[in-house]
Amino acid sequence: MDTTERVHFIGIGGYGMSAIARVMLEMGYTVTGSDVAAQELTEKLIAKGAKVYIGHTAEQVKGADLVVYSTALTSDNVEWKEAERLNIPVLHRSQMLARLLNERKGVAVAGAHGKTTTSSMIALIMEECGVDPTYIIGGEIMNVGTNAKAGQGEYVVAEADESDGSFLQYHPWLGIVTNIEADHLENYGGDFGKLKAAYVQFMNQMREDGTAIVCADDETARSLLPEVKGHIITYGIHAAYADYTATDIVLGDRLVSYTMNQGSETLGTIELSIPGKYNLYNSMAAVIACLKAGIPFADIAVSIVKFHGAKRRFQVLGESDDILVIDDYAHHPTEIQATISAAKATGKRIIAVFQPQRYTRTFFLLDAFSRAFSEADEVIITDIYSPAGEKQIEGVTSAKLVELIRSNSNASARHLPTKEAVLADLQDRIAPGDLVLTMGAGDIYKVGYALAERLKG
């Protein structure tokens, strides 16, 4: 890799793209990019020295040595077409990340859920323990205030995205699989078997001295282990089949603690400043990865308690007059159930506000979504948030989802189409003792921020 190159990112404002752009800036590359609108991430890149254009024009690509694009982009984009006309190499975001990850000791975190939190935990522990990693993460680490950094150490920590198959670009030293579920099947011909085969390939792509770290409590992930040829480490709560286990588990109000064991040996206590059984699993993977990197358990335990989450992962937006507002990226039925369960540990009355994302996901998981809200006291469903260009699927609507939720998990479910309607409704009805939980991969977080601001005022 030649740091004298100019690298141009089409769609530079996304979390994944901006993270790679930031690392390449810090490594000494000249970075330019374009996006449809200015936002916080583009402003941070500009402050770092990037040249960012608003809007896409062919002229902006000229002079670039390399062009990087994301999955959201289509090949008829004027900058992409101009790069091809000028014979400038064009790489997918994952191919650019692979260049960074594969040339050092890559730690790649894959899975249906927990990628951002697990990779953020690993990055923070390594930072706290003086390892100075490079990290490229799909969400901002709250303690650090950024989602990426070019470190001087030998480790590169990154998320490995299965949604479009791009995780197969990576040949990491450590490959973590947190769990496997039937999501993003539109990219696998609707065939869960093809998605599972991709995970097997990922786990078989470790470096020769590498290890796959796999959650053995996830039935699907465990079922694939006989197909993995290299070294495997498993973790879970059930001692019968896991190399690392957790005992003495306490799940409290925005905290978790447990004893970590390796085989019959007790390593010590892990305490977290974030809630939920799912974060127990995320932290176990992070601890194992850091142990493999040579960090003593005692140092890991001291560092991990300082982790206060990643942006949009059970993020506390405000607490006023005994009303708590929390936002989470949960956009899959399993994530919704886990997030509501973590919220219940606060002892508050849960008002769950969910914005479905994508007609395809809603179509494939309609029944599972309908069964995910049983622990909420109230449920509000907004209209489906769909990316530009996605076609509506007949019969797949939020009104239909609400009808099924009422039948299958929560009779209180209501459909409020817009963010404005949700905010007005919440303002009228919330009371001390309530917890408002906004969930979804779209822009529902704006309701949470607006509500938190109004509660402060």
Side-chain angles (χ1 to χ4, degrees):
M1 295 176 66
D2 181 1
T3 56
T4 64
E5 290 180 327
R6 174 192 155 199
V7 184
H8 183 81
F9 292 81
I10 312 174
I12 197 170
Y15 263 111
M17 291 283 275
S18 67
I20 298 172
R22 183 185 181 99
V23 165
M24 298 194 78
L25 270 171
E26 293 180 356
M27 290 173 68
Y29 288 85
T30 299
V31 171
T32 63
S34 60
D35 217 313
V36 292
Q39 53 183 293
E40 184 181 356
L41 289 172
T42 55
E43 293 303 314
K44 286 183 176 181
L45 287 172
I46 291 168
K48 276 275 182 184
K51 172 69 175 175
V52 178
Y53 303 95
I54 303 305
H56 301 302
T57 66
E59 187 68 27
Q60 291 161 187
V61 174
K62 290 178 180 174
D65 298 292
L66 190 65
V67 169
V68 182
Y69 71 95
S70 68
T71 302
L73 211 65
T74 56
S75 58
D76 61 355
N77 175 276
V78 293
E79 295 184 12
W80 187 340
K81 288 171 71 175
E82 181 67 3
E84 290 183 331
R85 190 186 72 81
L86 296 171
N87 292 318
I88 301 170
V90 179
L91 297 182
H92 184 267
R93 175 187 60 80
S94 62
Q95 293 172 305
M96 190 68 250
L97 176 54
R99 287 189 173 193
L100 300 169
L101 189 141
N102 293 344
E103 71 171 17
R104 297 198 207 173
K105 278 192 169 179
V107 180
V109 183
H113 323 296
K115 291 188 291 291
T116 297
T117 299
T118 304
S119 53
S120 296
M121 284 179 173
I122 295 167
L124 182 72
I125 294 166
M126 287 185 170
E127 281 279 84
E128 289 285 327
C129 295
V131 175
D132 195 18
T134 294
Y135 55 86
I136 298 166
I137 296 169
E140 188 175 293
I141 306 172
M142 298 300 291
N143 303 58
V144 183
T146 183
N147 61 332
K149 189 201 84 167
Q152 298 301 308
E154 62 181 330
Y155 299 102
V156 178
V157 182
E159 293 180 45
D161 188 3
E162 85 290 352
S163 67
D164 56 1
S166 60
F167 68 157
L168 298 181
Q169 299 282 342
Y170 312 135
H171 298 270
W173 175 63
L174 298 179
I176 295 169
V177 176
T178 59
N179 40 64
I180 301 172
E181 288 203 21
D183 198 7
H184 307 289
L185 292 185
E186 67 276 10
N187 294 324
Y188 291 88
D191 185 347
F192 188 27
K194 290 181 179 177
L195 176 59
K196 288 190 281 188
Y199 272 102
V200 171
Q201 184 179 336
F202 171 73
M203 289 187 278
N204 279 323
Q205 287 186 178
M206 300 303 110
R207 285 175 23 166
E208 194 172 331
D209 60 343
T211 302
I213 300 171
V214 184
C215 180
D217 282 3
D218 184 84
E219 187 176 340
T220 304
R222 188 171 72 251
S223 73
L224 300 178
L225 293 180
E227 301 178 56
V228 179
K229 298 178 177 65
H231 186 231
I232 303 166
I233 292 175
T234 57
Y235 63 94
I237 295 172
H238 306 292
Y241 46 71
D243 299 317
Y244 288 80
T245 57
T247 54
D248 309 315
I249 297 166
V250 176
L251 304 174
D253 178 3
R254 286 170 273 178
L255 61 87
V256 172
S257 72
Y258 62 94
T259 300
M260 184 108 169
N261 312 286
Q262 181 180 7
S264 59
E265 179 188 356
T266 297
L267 298 180
T269 300
I270 292 292
E271 295 181 345
L272 306 178
S273 304
I274 51 176
K277 189 176 181 180
Y278 59 100
N279 278 322
L280 184 159
Y281 284 113
N282 293 337
S283 68
M284 289 186 78
V287 170
I288 295 165
C290 291
L291 287 171
K292 287 289 290 178
I295 301 172
F297 181 86
D299 294 346
I300 294 170
V302 168
S303 300
I304 202 167
V305 74
K306 300 176 185 177
F307 179 73
H308 293 292
K311 201 169 186 178
R312 298 220 63 211
R313 272 66 178 181
F314 212 84
Q315 181 183 358
V316 176
L317 302 183
E319 191 166 11
S320 180
D321 298 326
D322 198 29
I323 298 171
L324 183 60
V325 183
I326 289 175
D327 176 64
D328 197 277
Y329 193 70
H331 59 287
H332 184 282
T334 304
E335 294 171 342
I336 291 167
Q337 286 178 305
T339 304
I340 294 173
S341 181
K344 290 293 281 187
T346 64
K348 294 185 179 294
R349 194 174 77 96
I350 309 301
I351 304 171
V353 181
F354 176 58
Q355 180 189 56
Q357 190 230 18
R358 295 185 179 273
Y359 289 103
T360 49
R361 177 181 286 117
T362 310
F363 170 75
F364 281 118
L365 301 174
L366 191 61
D367 182 69
F369 275 125
S370 76
R371 301 177 189 278
F373 294 91
S374 60
E375 287 197 88
D377 297 285
E378 285 191 43
V379 178
I380 297 171
I381 305 294
T382 73
D383 279 348
I384 295 170
Y385 181 95
S386 179
E390 189 192 25
K391 292 181 180 177
Q392 188 168 349
I393 299 174
E394 187 175 350
V396 179
T397 65
S398 290
K400 176 66 174 176
L401 176 56
V402 165
E403 180 186 320
L404 289 171
I405 292 171
R406 286 174 179 164
S407 298
N408 294 337
S409 67
N410 200 308
S412 79
R414 295 181 293 139
H415 176 213
L416 294 178
T418 66
K419 297 188 296 294
E420 293 75 18
V422 173
L423 182 59
D425 181 84
L426 291 171
Q427 281 186 273
D428 285 344
R429 299 186 315 100
I430 55 173
D434 286 349
L435 187 159
V436 176
L437 178 61
T438 56
M439 295 180 289
D443 61 357
I444 193 63
Y445 63 89
K446 293 177 181 177
V447 170
Y449 275 105
L451 182 64
E453 279 298 313
R454 294 185 188 187
L455 288 173
K456 280 197 300 186

